[in-house]
């Protein structure tokens, strides 16, 4: 089958899907932006995000109704929904789409309240390649805490992550050699964040305990020495970094962001710093964390479900 893919996130989330389709013998063509040429070439056009790529194809087809229309599949993540680059509540887009996929229960509920998608709307949870994240039974007590934010901006709530870490150190400084290993880079629009972060770290005397890392090629290796991962975000659709860390047996400490309790067991979610600190000084159960990902978020399951929905 001829499959076209548009993904304005540069294959960040669609790459594993594309690779799977190629391995199964499909002819796949990818461009970040939507293309009328691929529209007429493809049997199915997969758009990863309900964004301007969808609007472009919709508008082009209105202007060229004689063109051959492929099946249109759109995966709605979360930011594209909340920002409404292309409104999910407008029925014209729901009618244009043949398959709409969401990745979390809270997104299914929100999208369902908009336009009438009928039986086009499907919940398919994300998947992690478990072969790439090697499990290690790390029950040795240590103080290495990972915080993976990617772009550092307001939704990642990094100041709360730093405040949690500062409080943990102040209460249990002699309990463990606490270190915060932070994988992130400042977003271009977060102009004040470098100043705020630098001041916070220096004023709390954490210069030797907080390490900021640039992008790394091998997250499996980078996560190897960690015992915990803190996720202080106020918005996530899923959070691959949590699942990848748990696949290695690393204990998650997750802020109660909207939808989190539909994705992760409640015992890993905190509402306040006291709860988060209790998690950090509590027992680690590496096999348990790995099992959650194996049962809920295996990549092979995700790819199979996508193919079943799309009829591939």
């Amino acid at each position: 089958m001829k499959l076209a893919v548009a993904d304005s996130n540069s294959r960040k989330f669609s790459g594993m899907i594309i690779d799977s389709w190629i391995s199964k013998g499909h002819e796949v063509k990818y461009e970040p932006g939507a293309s009328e040429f691929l529209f007429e070439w493809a049997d199915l056009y997969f758009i990863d995000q309900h964004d301007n790529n969808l609007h472009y194809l919709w508008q082009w087809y209105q202007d060229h109704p004689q063109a051959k229309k492929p099946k249109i599949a759109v995966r709605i993540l979360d930011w594209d929904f909340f920002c409404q680059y292309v409104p999910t509540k407008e029925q014209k887009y729901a009618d244009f789409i043949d398959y709409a996929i969401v990745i979390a229960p809270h997104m299914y509920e929100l999208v369902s309240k908009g336009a009438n998608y009928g039986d086009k709307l499907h919940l398919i949870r994300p998947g992690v390649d478990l072969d790439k994240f090697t499990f290690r039974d790390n029950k040795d007590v240590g103080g290495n805490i990972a915080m993976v934010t990617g772009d550092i901006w307001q939704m990642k709530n990094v100041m709360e992550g730093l405040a949690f870490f500062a409080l943990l150190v102040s209460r249990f400084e002699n309990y463990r050699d606490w270190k915060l290993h932070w994988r992130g880079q400042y977003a271009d629009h977060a102009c004040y964040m470098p100043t705020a972060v630098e001041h916070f770290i220096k004023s709390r005397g954490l210069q030797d305990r907080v390490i900021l890392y640039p992008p790394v090629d091998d997250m499996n290796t980078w996560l190897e020495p960690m015992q915990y991962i803190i996720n202080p975000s106020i918005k996530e659709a899923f959070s691959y970094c949590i699942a990848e860390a748990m696949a290695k047996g690393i204990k998650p400490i997750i802020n109660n962001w909207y939808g989190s309790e539909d994705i992760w067991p409640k015992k890993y979610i905190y509402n306040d710093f006291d709860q988060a600190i209790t998690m950090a000084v509590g027992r680690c159960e590496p096999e348990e964390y790995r099992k959650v990902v194996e049962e809920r978020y295996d990549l092979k399951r995700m790819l199979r479900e996508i193919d079943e929905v799309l009829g591939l």
Side-chain angles (χ1 to χ4, degrees), residues 63-277:
D63 297 337
H64 302 82
Q66 76 285 355
K68 178 186 76 71
K69 178 181 178 293
K71 295 289 187 179
I72 303 293
V74 177
R75 189 161 64 160
I76 304 167
L77 301 180
D78 73 333
W79 195 237
D80 46 338
F81 173 87
F82 291 119
C83 287
Q84 295 288 296
Y85 297 119
V86 177
T88 56
K89 293 183 178 181
E90 290 197 17
Q91 190 62 39
K92 64 183 181 183
Y93 296 116
D95 292 340
F96 182 65
I97 294 168
D98 296 283
Y99 312 98
I101 296 171
V102 293
I103 66 173
H106 67 287
M107 294 310 304
Y108 188 95
E109 181 181 357
L110 290 173
V111 174
S112 298
K113 293 177 180 178
N116 179 15
Y117 289 85
D119 59 2
K120 299 177 182 180
L121 187 61
H122 305 271
L123 169 61
I124 301 179
R125 295 174 181 267
V128 173
D129 188 346
L130 293 167
D131 294 334
K132 290 185 177 180
F133 291 90
T134 53
F135 175 74
R136 80 286 188 276
D137 188 0
N138 188 3
K139 289 185 178 178
D140 295 334
V141 175
N144 288 320
I145 303 175
M147 185 167 73
V148 181
T149 60
D151 280 347
I152 301 170
W153 66 302
Q154 65 194 56
M155 295 300 166
K156 295 301 181 180
N157 204 22
V158 298
M159 300 310 295
E160 178 170 300
L162 290 172
F164 151 77
F165 182 70
L167 186 60
L168 176 67
V169 171
S170 69
R171 289 187 182 180
F172 294 95
E173 184 172 4
N174 299 320
Y175 187 58
R176 292 175 194 164
D177 184 20
W178 300 108
K179 294 286 196 304
L180 182 65
H181 302 268
W182 181 3
R183 161 73 279 283
Q185 65 281 332
Y186 293 104
D188 292 339
H189 58 275
C191 305
Y192 183 67
M193 286 304 300
T195 299
V197 168
E198 182 180 350
H199 172 75
F200 187 98
I201 292 172
K202 185 176 180 180
S203 63
R204 275 71 170 181
L206 300 174
Q207 298 94 320
D208 296 330
R209 293 184 182 270
V210 178
I211 306 101
L212 185 63
Y213 296 79
V216 295
D217 294 328
D218 185 355
M219 283 300 295
N220 180 60
T221 299
W222 186 82
L223 287 167
E224 191 69 24
M226 308 302 172
Q227 283 79 42
Y228 313 89
I229 182 165
I230 175 77
N231 180 271
S233 296
I234 61 172
K235 181 206 72 68
E236 296 283 356
F238 171 60
S239 184
Y240 265 97
C241 66
I242 294 174
E244 291 166 354
M246 289 177 65
K248 290 189 65 64
I250 296 169
K251 186 174 186 176
I253 304 172
I254 306 167
N255 184 34
N256 191 355
W257 35 264
Y258 174 63
S260 60
E261 293 186 351
D262 291 326
I263 300 172
W264 305 109
K266 291 183 179 181
K267 63 190 296 185
Y268 307 148
I269 297 171
Y270 70 87
N271 289 318
D272 55 51
F273 285 163
D274 285 338
Q275 292 177 347
I277 288 173

